[in-house]
Amino acid sequence: MSTRLFTKGRLAAVIIVAILLVDQAIKVWVKTHMSLHESIHVFDWFYISFIENNGMAFGMQLGSKIVLSLFRVAAIGVLTYYIYRQVRKPGVRVLYIVLLSMVLAGAAGNLIDCMFYGLLFNESSPYYVSYFVDFGTGYAPFLMGKVVDMFYFPLIVSTWPDWMPVVGGHDFVFFSPVFNFADASISVAVVLLLLFCRGELSHITLKE
């Protein structure tokens, strides 16, 4: 293997491992230091708010938990194979490898929650802080754990004008989803892929 190809592969591995370590460190700290729904005020536009969800990124729900977890496993497997192929191909831009690795790491970070958190932790509660338990004696079986979210950015908090139909007089929060580091990694990478790697995306294939 040439030095150039080795460098691309090593870079992808370093990015994936680094994102996973940061993501899991944040999640474990939140899980073991905050009660469910507890919120820490950092700035008026930034809170650490501990929630858990069964669904997709940013707390969205999509189908059954087991189906979603199995879909994640399959998607991560396909993306891993695709990145491996891209690393081996000459002429592939480093930026493309970096952004694909960010997507893979983010997806894997949330999958780790689903795979192991139910086996490692007791059930989270608003009344106490969760803690580690003997492996396999936690709150959920394999692939059924909940994803930990914590970043909340209510950039604009206001009220809809009374004259507006349906929503008039109701509270309005611009960017209300609560998300985690893995979600952020995926979102940033996807946006940058669409902006700067449209050529590569238009020729996606798992073949050489």
Side-chain angles (χ1 to χ4, degrees), residues 10-190:
R10 182 171 61 186
L11 177 62
V14 167
I15 290 170
I16 293 168
V17 171
I19 291 174
L20 286 175
L21 288 176
V22 172
D23 178 62
Q24 290 302 309
I26 295 171
K27 288 173 175 175
V28 170
W29 186 92
V30 168
K31 183 88 171 168
T32 58
H33 288 79
M34 299 176 65
S35 57
L36 191 64
H37 304 308
E38 180 181 351
S39 186
I40 299 174
H41 176 272
V42 182
F43 302 105
D44 288 343
W45 47 267
F46 175 37
Y47 292 78
I48 304 296
S49 299
F50 175 28
I51 68 168
E52 293 180 317
N53 73 81
N54 290 317
M56 301 288 285
F58 300 103
M60 294 184 291
Q61 303 294 318
L62 182 63
S64 71
K65 177 66 178 180
I66 189 65
V67 171
L68 176 60
S69 295
L70 291 175
F71 172 78
R72 281 175 170 155
V73 172
I76 289 171
V78 170
L79 183 55
T80 299
Y81 177 73
Y82 179 71
I83 292 174
Y84 169 74
R85 292 300 229 188
Q86 295 306 300
V87 166
R88 290 172 56 87
K89 288 172 62 175
V92 176
R93 290 192 295 166
V94 172
L95 175 63
Y96 190 50
I97 300 297
V98 168
L99 297 179
L100 290 175
S101 300
M102 290 174 62
V103 173
L104 175 60
N110 285 333
L111 179 62
I112 289 173
D113 296 25
C114 299
M115 294 173 68
F116 299 114
Y117 278 29
L119 303 173
L120 289 169
F121 294 100
N122 68 319
E123 185 77 42
S124 296
S125 169
Y127 307 108
Y128 56 78
V129 174
S130 185
Y131 51 86
F132 285 102
V133 297
D134 292 336
F135 187 79
T137 63
Y139 67 87
F142 185 65
L143 287 177
M144 296 294 287
K146 297 177 182 179
V147 177
V148 175
D149 292 328
M150 74 294 296
F151 296 135
Y152 176 45
F153 288 89
L155 301 178
I156 300 175
V157 180
S158 185
T159 304
W160 290 105
D162 291 334
W163 53 265
M164 293 190 67
V166 182
V167 297
H170 291 277
D171 292 336
F172 166 74
V173 179
F174 176 73
F175 203 72
S176 59
V178 181
F179 60 98
N180 58 45
F181 191 77
D183 297 332
S185 177
I186 294 172
S187 300
V188 170
V190 168

